[in-house]
Amino acid sequence: MGKVEDKKKQKSDTLFFSAFNLFTSKGFNETTIADIVKEAGVAKGTFYLYFKDKYDLREKLIAYKASILFQNALDAYLKSELVLEEKVRDIEGKMIFFVDNVINQLKNNRPLMRLISKDLSWGVYKHAFSYQANGEEFDFYNVYKQMLDKARVKCEKPDILLFSIIDLTGSTCYSSIMFNEPLPIDEYKPYLYKNIRAIISANCIYE
């Protein structure tokens, strides 16, 4: 990365950091662009070099934060891949490994859970799958497809399957993580994972 690109990334990261702090403490509706640039210590014109408006920033911030979640889960998977190949040969078990890692990250970061639990769309998810987290090229969806191929699993609509798993996880885990309802998250996990296995089983065929 050159000096110009590095400076641009530093400024965008500063805006992301400032916006995250304000959105999770003050609230999205109560936070203005003026608040964000003041917190970031940049000119208002700089904001518009990176984002169209506050809503565009929020969408990209969610994609950025979600991409880091996926990247961390992928790093954990790669470190444990040999063990997983020995103990977890089915695609259901491997997907649950990813989901469990993401849930544990969110359990330890409730402000992030609060941010990404709302206003998520398929476009945001797809952006997150290929977002350059930490300045490194990253394509979670491609890794997911490779997992299906390696497990010799055929799925008619793999993108819909992945969206269904993520949407189920995000929507049901919010109350469990934030309010321990209907159960604390560690007690709820077995029910969630049973449903994830059922979704995968209903949409995939082992060749």
Side-chain angles (χ1 to χ4, degrees):
M1 183 181 294
K3 290 184 178 180
V4 174
E5 289 77 11
D6 187 54
K7 286 183 178 180
K8 286 182 178 179
K9 184 179 183 304
Q10 287 179 5
K11 287 184 179 180
S12 64
D13 286 353
T14 299
L15 286 166
F16 276 145
F17 180 78
S18 300
F20 178 76
N21 286 341
L22 289 166
F23 290 166
T24 55
S25 61
K26 190 175 181 179
F28 176 77
N29 291 332
E30 289 72 27
T31 299
T32 65
I33 293 176
D35 293 331
I36 296 169
V37 297
K38 181 180 179 180
E39 177 85 6
V42 300
K44 197 168 186 179
T46 301
F47 177 94
Y48 292 103
L49 293 175
Y50 300 95
F51 311 107
K52 296 177 182 177
D53 50 35
K54 187 174 69 168
Y55 297 91
D56 182 45
L57 168 58
R58 178 176 58 179
E59 182 170 307
K60 289 177 179 176
L61 174 61
I62 291 172
Y64 172 74
K65 289 290 188 179
S67 72
I68 294 176
L69 289 177
F70 296 136
Q71 179 73 72
N72 290 340
L74 175 59
D75 289 344
Y77 174 79
L78 293 176
K79 289 178 181 177
S80 306
E81 188 171 17
L82 292 178
V83 176
L84 287 173
E85 288 299 321
E86 291 288 331
K87 297 183 178 180
V88 185
R89 298 182 182 276
D90 62 318
I91 191 64
E92 292 95 336
K94 292 180 180 180
M95 286 301 298
I96 287 172
F97 177 92
F98 273 96
V99 170
D100 190 70
N101 184 281
V102 169
I103 287 175
N104 288 337
Q105 291 183 67
L106 291 171
K107 183 173 71 170
N108 294 322
N109 192 340
R110 293 191 176 194
L112 179 57
M113 176 80 257
R114 190 178 297 111
L115 173 71
I116 70 173
S117 68
K118 301 176 181 179
D119 301 304
L120 290 177
S121 67
W122 179 231
V124 172
Y125 282 129
K126 291 188 75 173
H127 192 188
F129 294 154
S130 59
Y131 205 99
Q132 290 191 1
N134 300 321
E136 298 178 2
E137 189 172 352
F138 166 65
D139 191 339
F140 180 81
Y141 186 72
N142 186 50
V143 173
Y144 161 69
K145 290 291 295 293
Q146 290 176 0
M147 286 173 58
L148 293 177
D149 293 340
K150 193 171 184 179
R152 296 184 178 180
V153 171
K154 184 177 181 181
C155 179
E156 184 178 356
K157 293 187 179 296
D159 54 342
I160 300 302
L161 172 63
L162 183 58
F163 172 73
S164 299
I165 293 171
I166 293 175
D167 190 63
L168 172 65
T169 301
S171 61
T172 62
C173 286
Y174 178 79
S175 293
S176 188
I177 290 174
M178 300 299 294
F179 309 112
N180 293 323
E181 295 179 352
L183 291 171
I185 187 62
D186 289 329
E187 294 179 34
Y188 173 67
K189 282 180 179 181
Y191 298 94
L192 172 65
Y193 298 161
K194 183 178 180 180
N195 287 324
I196 289 175
R197 286 185 177 276
I199 291 172
I200 295 174
S201 178
N203 289 275
C204 294
I205 299 174
Y206 283 89
E207 297 179 338

